[in-house]
């Protein structure tokens, strides 16, 4: 079974001077000149799209002060400082996990944001992450989880099909132990495990220049694996909920992973077989085209209007409107059960997701939950008719 061809139909987002500035300063690898910046609006949009820390990490403070004014530049610097502080919390949690994993002789591999940071792909202080995702061998996950709890970590969430319940370190860093890499499949119907990735040569030793010196057996995903996982995570897992995982972080990851141009085409050809059940070729190619255009500072994409917009432009509009347009955000909620990311049959996965959605929250009766969902259904339906 393959993914739908292209699943996004967003409203056309106006390309304001503030939006042009955010795109140019977050992604363009050249020295793009801009006639107008709309300082306050640019700062607010950069924060909304979760790229303020990235911009502050890749642009000189003098440029930001000249284009945004001293107050705007100071706010961007503050956003980067917050990202650095969170990175330090996650680093502290990683040291603690590494020590326990070493004692238990359990190898592990960082995923997503921290893999980009540790692998030297992400700009220093420019890749905010909410938690530390670690892939471990399935047979060793339960023992590692139990020992971390015994060593002072506390439960901070619920378990899912692909991961154990989230844990929180005493300093605040949150850790999630993954049993599989959801949606990345080296073999049919089965998300990749630590063991299968090692066998395929897709997990390797950390670089010698890495700032963190692990005592345990830390492996880092190869560039193509990080790219494949980024596509699944942003498009399939959270594609219909951009407010959960900001898509503009994702574009930054693709740019940093050199998923652009002719080299990106070669990577795309290699990884499509791993992700085609969750991310269609059209969607992955659109992400490649968009990352290529953003890195080059191309204007042609931003000039597309109306029904003739390319898939790349639709993807750009989707991740923008998915954060900034309340009506579009509401319309996406009506597609909650469209295609859950799961190794289980879709009918089973949809039933489990529905049951999880219907389950009352703490202190809420089942009747109150049903009333809330009924009201939300009619709100979504009304928004879709407008």
């Amino acid at each position: 079974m393959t993914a739908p061809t292209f699943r996004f139909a967003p409203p056309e987002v106006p390309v304001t001077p503030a939006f042009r500035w955010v795109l140019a300063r977050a992604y363009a690898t050249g020295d793009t000149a801009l006639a107008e910046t709309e300082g306050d609006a640019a700062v607010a949009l950069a924060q909304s799209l979760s790229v303020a820390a990235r911009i502050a990490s890749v642009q000189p403070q003098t440029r930001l002060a000249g284009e945004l004014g001293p107050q705007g530049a100071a706010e961007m610097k503050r956003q980067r400082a917050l990202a650095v502080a969170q990175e330090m919390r996650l680093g502290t949690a990683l040291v603690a996990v590494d020590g326990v994993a070493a004692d238990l002789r359990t190898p592990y591999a960082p995923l997503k944001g921290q893999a980009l940071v540790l692998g030297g792909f992400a700009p220093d202080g420019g890749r905010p992450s909410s938690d530390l995702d670690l892939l471990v061998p399935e047979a060793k996950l339960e023992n590692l989880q139990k020992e971390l709890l015994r060593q002072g970590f506390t439960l901070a969430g619920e378990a899912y099909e692909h991961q154990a319940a989230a844990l929180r370190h005493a300093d605040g860093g949150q850790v999630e132990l993954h049993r599989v890499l959801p949606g990345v499949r080296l073999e049919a119907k089965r998300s990749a495990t630590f063991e299968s990735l090692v066998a395929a040569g897709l997990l390797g030793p950390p670089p010698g220049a890495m700032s963190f010196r692990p005592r345990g057996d830390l492996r880092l995903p190869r560039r193509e694996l990080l790219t494949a996982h980024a596509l699944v995570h942003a498009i399939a897992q959270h594609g219909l909920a951009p407010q959960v995982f900001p898509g503009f972080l994702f574009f930054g990851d693709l740019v940093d992973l050199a998923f652009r141009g002719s080299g990106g085409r070669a990577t795309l050809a290699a990884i499509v077989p791993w992700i085609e059940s969750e991310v269609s070729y059209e969607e992955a190619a659109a992400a490649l085209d968009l990352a290529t255009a953003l890195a080059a500072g191309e204007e042609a994409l931003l000039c597309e209007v109306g029904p003739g917009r390319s898939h790349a432009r639709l993807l750009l509009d989707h991740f923008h409107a998915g954060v900034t347009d309340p009506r579009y955000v509401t319309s996406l909620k009506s597609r909650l059960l469209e295609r859950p990311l799961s190794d289980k049959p879709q009918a089973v996965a949809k039933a489990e997701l529905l049951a999880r959605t219907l389950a009352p929250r703490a202190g809420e009766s089942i009747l109150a939950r049903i009333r809330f969902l009924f009201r939300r259904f009619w709100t979504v339906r009304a928004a879709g008719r407008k």
Side-chain angles (χ1 to χ4, degrees), residues 14-296:
V15 181
T16 62
F19 191 27
R20 287 179 186 274
W21 182 88
V22 167
L23 295 180
R25 294 300 177 246
Y27 309 110
T29 53
D31 192 11
T32 305
L34 296 165
E36 189 178 355
T37 61
E38 293 184 334
D40 290 345
V43 172
L45 185 60
Q47 290 176 291
S48 295
L49 301 182
S50 299
V51 292
R54 178 182 180 85
I55 292 172
S57 69
V58 299
Q59 298 296 335
Q61 189 70 8
T62 52
R63 165 176 281 173
L64 296 180
E67 294 178 342
L68 303 175
Q71 194 168 7
E75 177 57 28
M76 301 292 275
K77 185 178 181 179
R78 188 181 76 85
Q79 292 296 317
R80 186 188 178 203
L82 291 173
V84 170
Q86 173 65 357
E87 195 171 301
M88 291 175 65
R89 283 190 286 269
L90 295 178
T92 301
L94 177 59
V95 170
V97 174
D98 175 73
V100 175
D103 292 340
L104 295 179
R105 297 189 178 183
T106 299
Y108 65 95
L111 304 173
K112 295 185 289 193
Q114 285 303 294
L116 293 166
V117 170
L118 293 171
F121 297 108
D124 184 29
R127 180 46 169 88
S129 296
S130 60
D131 51 36
L132 175 64
D133 297 281
L134 302 174
L135 179 67
V136 300
E138 289 185 279
K140 294 178 176 289
L141 185 147
E142 186 176 350
N143 281 344
L144 179 57
Q145 180 90 347
K146 287 181 179 178
E147 185 61 20
L148 289 173
L149 286 168
R150 199 180 71 82
Q151 295 280 354
F153 281 79
T154 56
L155 286 173
E158 56 184 316
Y160 292 90
E161 177 184 340
H162 63 282
Q163 70 177 58
L167 303 174
R168 182 174 290 112
H169 186 266
D171 284 351
Q174 188 161 300
V175 177
E176 295 176 351
L177 301 183
H178 288 241
R179 55 177 54 89
V180 296
L181 204 58
V184 178
R185 298 185 173 93
L186 305 185
E187 52 191 62
K189 300 182 180 180
R190 172 68 165 153
S191 290
T193 63
F194 185 96
E195 294 88 343
S196 67
L197 292 172
V198 169
L202 292 171
L203 296 179
M210 192 173 73
S211 57
F212 169 60
R213 298 291 182 183
R215 184 163 69 86
D217 187 4
L218 182 152
R219 315 285 182 90
L220 277 181
R222 302 292 188 193
R223 185 192 302 263
E224 61 269 35
L225 181 59
L226 287 171
T227 305
H229 190 208
L231 288 164
V232 170
H233 185 247
I235 293 179
Q237 188 171 8
H238 294 309
L240 297 178
Q243 67 277 22
V244 174
F245 177 74
F248 288 85
L249 274 182
F250 159 64
F251 297 139
D253 293 348
L254 296 186
V255 169
D256 296 339
L257 289 165
F259 187 63
R260 56 186 189 271
S262 58
R265 290 284 168 193
T267 300
L268 179 65
I271 66 177
V272 159
W274 305 343
I275 63 175
E276 61 185 352
S277 60
E278 302 296 342
V279 179
S280 71
Y281 177 85
E282 290 80 3
E283 290 166 338
L288 168 63
D289 291 343
L290 184 51
T292 301
L294 291 174

Side-chain angles (χ1 to χ4, degrees), residues 340-371:
L341 180 59
S342 174
D343 285 348
K344 299 176 181 179
Q346 279 293 296
V348 174
K350 289 178 181 180
E352 291 182 351
L353 179 57
L354 181 61
R356 189 187 296 268
T357 303
L358 288 171
R361 302 298 187 254
E364 180 185 42
S365 70
I366 184 63
L367 181 59
R369 187 65 182 164
I370 291 173
R371 286 173 176 166

